[in-house]
Amino acid sequence: MYTQLADWHGPGPWILLIPLIWIAVVVLVIAVLRRTVWRRHGCGFGYGYGVETGAGAGVAAEHPLAVLGRRYAEGDIDAEEYRAKRAVLSESPRDDAKGGGAR
């Protein structure tokens, strides 16, 4: 029995792979969440990463009413045009579903 214990030299350097594997799993899960769920909801760290700043930045992510309000606040459109476009954007799309909408 003493000989068996004396011949054992410990777990060896491969024991360091176990924490590295767990770190890789955590990084992979965070990367998948950032690319799918968090980006879709606009939360999490790294939000807006790679988006240029300035006029027109992030336009695809903005709601049309928010863009309209921003244009009105900046003075690009007047109050009458703002009200008309807001009415069009706020109405229900039931006419378009039947094919009777303007094309």
Side-chain angles (χ1 to χ4, degrees), residues 22-74:
W22 279 110
I23 290 171
V25 167
V26 169
V27 167
L28 181 67
V29 166
I30 290 173
V32 167
L33 288 174
R34 282 186 66 193
R35 288 193 155 287
T36 58
V37 178
W38 291 344
R39 183 171 292 176
R40 196 173 308 136
H41 295 293
C43 60
F45 56 92
Y47 178 65
Y49 177 76
V51 176
E52 295 180 22
T53 57
V59 172
E62 280 187 276
H63 192 273
L65 286 173
V67 174
L68 185 64
R70 181 179 44 80
R71 287 187 59 204
Y72 177 65
E74 291 174 352

